[in-house]
């Protein structure tokens, strides 16, 4: 590009015509014009205004490179003009070459400029919504954004409760990782790893105000607090990142368990020293539901689902079933009338024991106030659940509250018969 621009301003001078070149077309003056170098009679080719010149002069060179017409051919005008003396007019720069050089430079500059990330982004993209999150509020709260994917929504075109619970678990682990406390375990600190200790959840409470839909960006805040002498509480607050409206609140209780013996453990002083600096002195985001969950068996349950077995993909790195999977199993025995006509508004789960890969489970559900009471008067219904092993050992006990699904702000409550 630079060479072309330079040549446009300073054209190279043509060498003087060869004194031996003649317009007769003879090669070295020894052969007639109708005989080629192989002794064959040929006609002199004519290409419009181009004529074959066997003894044509060599083309001029620019920076050591030949330029001009093809070897052996010259335009008649060029032959004539080559004898004209240099004047001010014919030494002016070649403006077409200069214009081409300038255009090339501008096109290259425009391409580089367009590659720069200078364009303004949408408001929901300014804070890296799909990154690994960050610690805010003086280091006590971890915040992360999630986009609701198409494969995370259900038949209602809203995010499933399992999707939102997975977001809770992800932010909890990323909180520990961002704080620099994760070491060789599923959320375990260095001192916990030395003693083969892991965290296990014992209770979870969830209240859902509104479910996000496909494409929504959800902002999740989480923090931890002390819970008694040997426990930890973790809370979450989910908001719509665009409007700031609260979508869901959740509070959980955690204790330590020995990974080898599978027994609960006290919090060692060394491990407590690692985590207590991150504890927040604040009440839980949900008032604790202290109501006792009644015992449920085949005689008292309204709906039963048997033969539930974990898949390999249901296990976490601690080799037990992920706690989010229990929710799906609990809802397996919920009546279809509730699943189709209502949405889960609140949930309380108490985890009693872990479930391993070879476990076989039963899901039991009982619907309270069957068709009367709260369900008729207020459009809500409450269910009780038990997930247990086939031998009768309880894995999870729970209570769920349901409200009618809304279509354009109008409830879709129909006639349900739970008899």
């Amino acid at each position: 590009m630079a060479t072309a621009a330079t040549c446009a301003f300073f054209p190279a001078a043509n060498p003087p015509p060869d004194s031996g070149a003649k317009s007769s077309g003879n090669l070295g003056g020894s052969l007639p014009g109708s005989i080629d170098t192989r002794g064959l009679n040929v006609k002199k080719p004519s290409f419009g205004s181009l004529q074959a010149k066997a003894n044509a002069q060599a083309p001029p060179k620019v920076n050591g490179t030949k330029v001009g017409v093809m070897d052996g051919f010259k335009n008649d005008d060029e032959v004539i003009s080559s004898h004209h003396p240099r004047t001010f007019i014919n030494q002016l720069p070649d403006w077409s070459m200069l214009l081409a050089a300038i255009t090339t430079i501008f096109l290259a500059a425009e391409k580089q400029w367009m590659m720069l990330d200078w364009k303004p982004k949408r408001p929901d993209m300014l804070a890296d919504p799909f990154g690994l999150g960050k610690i805010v509020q003086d280091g006590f709260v971890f915040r992360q954004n999630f986009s609701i994917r198409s494969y995370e929504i259900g038949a209602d075109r809203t995010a499933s409760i399992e999707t939102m619970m997975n977001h809770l678990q992800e932010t909890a682990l990323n909180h520990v990782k961002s704080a620099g406390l994760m070491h060789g375990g599923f959320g375990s600190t260095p001192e916990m790893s030395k003693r083969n200790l892991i965290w296990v959840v014992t209770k979870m409470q969830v209240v859902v105000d509104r479910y996000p839909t496909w494409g929504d960006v959800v902002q999740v805040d989480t923090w931890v607090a002390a819970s008694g002498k040997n426990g930890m509480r973790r809370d979450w607050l989910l908001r719509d990142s665009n409007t700031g409206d609260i979508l869901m609140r959740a509070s959980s209780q955690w204790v330590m368990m020995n990974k080898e013996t599978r027994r609960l453990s006290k919090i060692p002083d060394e491990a407590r020293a690692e985590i207590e600096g991150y504890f927040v002195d604040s009440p839980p985001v949900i008032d604790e539901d202290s109501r006792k969950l009644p015992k449920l068996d085949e005689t008292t349950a309204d709906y039963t689902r048997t033969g539930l077995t974990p898949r390999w993909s249901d296990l976490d790195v601690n080799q037990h079933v992920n706690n989010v999977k229990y929710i799906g199993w609990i809802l397996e025995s919920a009546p279809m009338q509730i699943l189709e006509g209502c949405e889960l508004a609140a949930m309380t789960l108490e985890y009693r024991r872990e479930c391993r890969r070879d476990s076989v489970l039963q899901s039991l559900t009982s619907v309270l106030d069957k068709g009367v009471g709260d369900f008729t008067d207020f459009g809500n219904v409450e269910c009780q659940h038990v997930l247990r092993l086939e031998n009768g050992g309880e894995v999870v006990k729970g209570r769920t509250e349901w409200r009618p699904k809304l279509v354009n702000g109008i409830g879709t409550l129909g006639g349900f018969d739970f008899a």
Side-chain angles (χ1 to χ4, degrees), residues 21 73 76-77 103 121 172 196 206 253 271 276 298 340 359 390 404 412:
F73 292 93
D76 289 336
D77 296 334
T103 303
K121 296 179 173 65
N196 287 324
V206 176
Q253 304 287 337
E276 64 181 359
E298 296 92 337
E340 290 181 345
S359 301
E390 279 194 334
T412 60

Side-chain angles (χ1 to χ4, degrees), residues 12-18 21 53 56-60 69 74-87 90:
N14 291 330
D18 189 358
K53 303 292 183 178
Q57 64 182 10
V69 297
K74 255 193 173 185
N75 189 289
D76 289 336
D77 296 334
E78 293 177 346
V79 176
I80 296 174
S81 62
S82 63
H83 296 282
H84 293 168
R86 292 288 181 179
T87 65
N90 60 26

Side-chain angles (χ1 to χ4, degrees), residues 86-92:
R86 292 288 181 179
T87 65
F88 173 78
I89 298 299
N90 60 26
Q91 291 203 27
L92 288 175

Side-chain angles (χ1 to χ4, degrees), residues 373-386:
D374 289 345
F375 187 70
T376 301
D377 297 337
F378 305 103
N380 296 331
V381 61
E382 183 177 306
C383 297
Q384 293 180 347
H385 311 269
V386 168

Side-chain angles (χ1 to χ4, degrees), residues 198-202 253-257 264 318 320 354:
I198 59 175
W199 288 110
V200 291
V201 60
T202 59
Q253 304 287 337
W254 298 76
V255 296
M256 290 187 181
M257 183 180 75
L264 298 184
N318 291 324
H320 62 203
E354 62 179 339

